Amino acid sequence: MVAFYLLSPAEIVVGLAERMKRRRIDFGLTQRELAARANVSYASLRLFETRGKISLESLVKIAFALEAEAEFEQLFPSRPPKTIDDVVDRPVRQRVRRK
């Protein structure tokens, strides 16, 4: 039997905040030190750790400060092809239009 877990958006955010906090502590940084190193406000960092609220730009800055920016490359990967037509001479779509 294959086991998999479906998480809610809120659970993903909480998990992300907890992992960031653990990494901050592993680096031996206080919240204020990380905020200064990442060039984000202390209040923003604290709000992220306690409630999971943060702007995407601030999150990326924190990731750089904690040497975790490479993980962003794993977000939104291309979908694998399903048919041979998906692979052969198909132009890459730039946008979707509804008729």
Side-chain angles (χ1 to χ4, degrees):
M1 175 179 233
V2 176
F4 62 94
Y5 302 96
L6 296 177
L7 299 175
S8 71
E11 290 169 326
I12 290 171
V13 168
V14 167
L16 182 62
E18 288 172 355
R19 289 190 305 276
M20 187 280 303
K21 181 178 179 179
R22 278 194 305 256
R23 191 161 181 141
R24 173 182 64 77
I25 292 169
D26 288 345
F27 270 66
L29 298 170
T30 65
Q31 288 178 332
R32 288 190 190 278
E33 290 169 336
L34 177 56
R37 181 181 282 191
N39 197 27
V40 299
S41 72
Y42 166 69
S44 291
L45 181 69
R46 200 169 112 214
L47 185 63
F48 179 55
E49 284 193 9
T50 58
R51 295 197 181 161
K53 307 284 185 197
I54 195 165
S55 74
L56 180 57
E57 182 178 3
S58 293
L59 180 60
V60 171
K61 287 179 177 182
I62 291 168
F64 269 86
L66 293 175
E67 300 172 7
E69 70 278 0
E71 283 80 357
F72 280 99
E73 291 296 321
Q74 297 173 4
L75 287 174
F76 306 114
S78 297
R79 294 178 71 188
K82 294 182 181 178
T83 68
I84 192 69
D85 289 335
D86 292 340
V87 178
V88 179
D89 296 329
R90 279 271 170 117
V92 177
R93 295 176 74 176
Q94 298 297 317
R95 60 183 176 199
V96 175
R97 288 190 178 181
R98 300 278 183 232
K99 293 181 181 183

